[in-house]
Amino acid sequence: MTRAFIFPGQGSQAVGMGLALSESFGAARLVFEEVDEALKQKLSKLIFEGPESDLTLTENAQPALMAVSIAALRVLESEGGWRLADKASYVAGHSLGEYSALAAAGALDLSDAARLLKLRGQAMQKAVPVGEGAMAALLGPDLEQVQKIAKQAADDTKLICGVANDNSPGQVVVSGAKAAVERAIAIAAEQGVKRSVMLPVSAPFHCALMQPAADAMEEALAKAAIRQPAVPVVANVTAQPTSDAATIAKLLVSQVTATVRWRESILTMKSLGVAKTYELGAGKVLAGLVKRIDKEIEASSVGAPADVETALKALS
């Protein structure tokens, strides 16, 4: 069976995530210790104990989620006696999860991934003053309809509004200036969209307003050591697999302002033979999206000791 390991993005964080893994497995503890050392910050204490308000800050949530994902992977590898490339043919991650995927596949060192995500979180937060940007999930319409809604909202307000995430059929997220996003919700309602939800985020991710953050990441990634991954990564920006280090760096820069093409990424992996996905890290958001995108793909999540046991049996 062809498998993919996938890695969650922001919004999946919760105080206490990864704690049971850390208490049960030395391989997980080593990951949290290395991330703490890389950031010169006791991030693990924040992950395990909170407060939630600090963990939710973008600059903390991004490296924290990556740490939990890699902890889950390292536990599977150490307990199973194998490496990722022995069991998975592709990796992919949602937004910041793409960095987790690259660290999992050996394209980035764990410490470098943590530092890059800390910087990415800080740069994204600084790009737009709090309160000026917004994001909203439009539930029901397809990508093409939401693209038209976002364009009309941008034209009406002369402000930025675009598609940030194409998550699954019927779940598309828009991002941009607050007034433009509010206009998009109004247009959606006029067109019969039954539900739109403003998201509790501190900045409008994955839209043109994030260009200052993209510039900061371009500078940082130019100095980063990126290697060929052990298996191809299916990139958010293209929804296609790549193994070229220079291309990976360029796509990570583009990713800051571009649409996360998650629905297409899953369909691409299916077309390449993937029949089972394992979501490694906090929460079960991606497993839920996979099931909505294509019911034929098996999806499971690994974030707690009990999940490890189940996954190891399935992967043996």
Side-chain angles (χ1 to χ4, degrees):
M1 180 187 284
T2 304
R3 306 179 193 92
F5 287 175
I6 59 177
F7 301 87
Q10 207 161 333
S12 290
Q13 70 275 359
V15 172
M17 62 182 183
L19 178 58
L21 284 178
S22 182
E23 290 175 339
S24 302
F25 301 103
R29 281 194 296 279
L30 288 173
V31 169
F32 291 114
E33 287 169 9
E34 185 174 338
V35 170
D36 285 352
E37 176 59 30
L39 298 180
K40 300 292 186 277
Q41 174 190 2
K42 199 70 176 163
L43 187 64
S44 59
K45 187 173 192 297
L46 180 57
I47 295 169
F48 300 153
E49 300 175 18
E52 186 179 5
S53 57
D54 288 351
L55 179 61
T56 305
L57 291 173
T58 302
E59 66 176 84
N60 292 325
Q62 295 201 19
L65 284 161
M66 185 276 299
V68 177
S69 286
I70 300 303
L73 173 67
R74 295 284 184 261
V75 169
L76 287 176
E77 289 180 325
S78 63
E79 295 296 305
W82 43 258
R83 302 297 292 167
L84 177 146
D86 300 328
K87 301 294 180 181
S89 300
Y90 300 94
V91 292
H94 192 287
S95 191
L96 81 90
E98 192 158 296
Y99 285 79
S100 308
L102 291 165
L108 283 171
D109 286 336
L110 175 61
S111 295
D112 287 343
R115 285 188 287 263
L116 285 166
L117 284 172
K118 183 80 174 176
L119 173 66
R120 184 177 182 268
Q122 290 170 335
M124 290 172 100
Q125 191 60 68
K126 280 181 201 159
V128 181
V130 173
E132 290 189 12
M135 298 178 75
L138 275 54
L139 306 176
D142 62 14
L143 174 62
E144 188 177 358
Q145 185 180 354
V146 178
Q147 286 172 330
K148 289 176 181 172
I149 289 169
K151 184 179 186 306
Q152 186 182 333
D155 289 346
D156 288 352
T157 61
K158 304 294 185 277
L159 296 169
I160 285 169
C161 185
V163 174
N165 311 112
D166 177 18
N167 284 332
S168 70
Q171 190 190 118
V172 185
V173 176
V174 295
S175 179
K178 190 170 183 224
V181 171
E182 289 169 343
R183 178 65 187 136
I185 289 174
I187 295 166
E190 289 163 11
Q191 294 185 7
V193 174
K194 292 196 167 40
R195 191 158 173 244
S196 299
V197 182
M198 290 289 274
L199 300 181
V201 294
S202 55
F205 305 129
H206 299 291
C207 76
L209 293 173
M210 287 287 113
Q211 189 57 48
D215 295 341
M217 293 314 297
E218 183 172 26
E219 187 179 335
L221 287 159
K223 301 170 193 164
I226 301 177
R227 296 174 293 275
Q228 180 176 326
V231 299
V233 59
V234 178
N236 287 182
V237 172
T238 61
Q240 294 297 319
T242 184
S243 294
D244 178 70
T247 301
I248 287 167
K250 285 178 188 167
L251 291 174
L252 287 175
V253 174
S254 301
Q255 188 222 54
V256 178
T257 56
T259 303
V260 175
R261 295 167 64 181
W262 188 252
R263 178 184 58 84
E264 292 174 84
S265 295
I266 296 300
L267 293 176
T268 293
M269 287 191 279
K270 189 191 182 191
S271 74
L272 294 166
V274 170
K276 171 94 189 191
T277 63
Y278 288 87
E279 177 181 11
L280 304 187
K284 299 182 178 181
V285 170
L286 297 187
L289 292 179
V290 168
K291 288 168 187 170
R292 284 208 285 278
I293 292 165
D294 194 308
K295 289 182 171 59
E296 291 181 359
I297 305 173
E298 288 182 54
S300 59
S301 302
V302 183
D307 303 330
V308 169
E309 192 177 336
T310 304
L312 286 173
K313 282 180 187 168
L315 288 161
S316 62

